[in-house]
Amino acid sequence: MFLTVNPRYGEVSRAMRNRGVEIFMMEPYWALDDISGSLEIFESKDVKRFLSLAGIPFAQLIDSMARAHMYAKSE
């Protein structure tokens, strides 16, 4: 069985997620031609979305963790 979810409309319950394997599909930005200068913005949004969906409770904590991730990646 496959469950797909559009985060705009909600998410699968934790009980249902615990009964399977969760695979997160990132957007294929490498396939786009017009984002050369804004790739970091897209990556930052993805990191924040991932942290939010992982259950991190506060926006300030999400922002701090995303900045730390982007810094560690660049270093």
Side-chain angles (χ1 to χ4, degrees):
M1 174 169 47
F2 288 90
L3 298 173
T4 59
V5 176
N6 185 336
R8 237 184 292 174
Y9 302 112
E11 62 181 51
V12 176
S13 70
R14 180 179 292 286
M16 188 59 101
R17 288 192 334 235
N18 287 339
R19 288 173 171 76
V21 176
E22 187 171 348
I23 300 172
F24 181 75
M25 304 290 288
M26 303 287 279
E27 293 289 326
Y29 297 124
W30 51 266
L32 303 175
D33 294 332
D34 60 344
I35 62 161
S36 58
S38 59
L39 185 59
E40 187 172 315
I41 293 169
F42 286 117
E43 287 185 71
S44 178
K45 281 184 166 183
D46 282 340
V47 170
K48 288 179 183 180
R49 179 174 41 191
F50 179 79
L51 291 169
S52 177
L53 292 173
I56 305 300
F58 303 108
Q60 289 177 338
L61 183 56
I62 290 171
D63 289 341
S64 296
M65 290 176 74
R67 280 195 308 274
H69 170 79
M70 296 302 287
Y71 174 78
K73 183 181 175 207
S74 69
E75 293 299 312

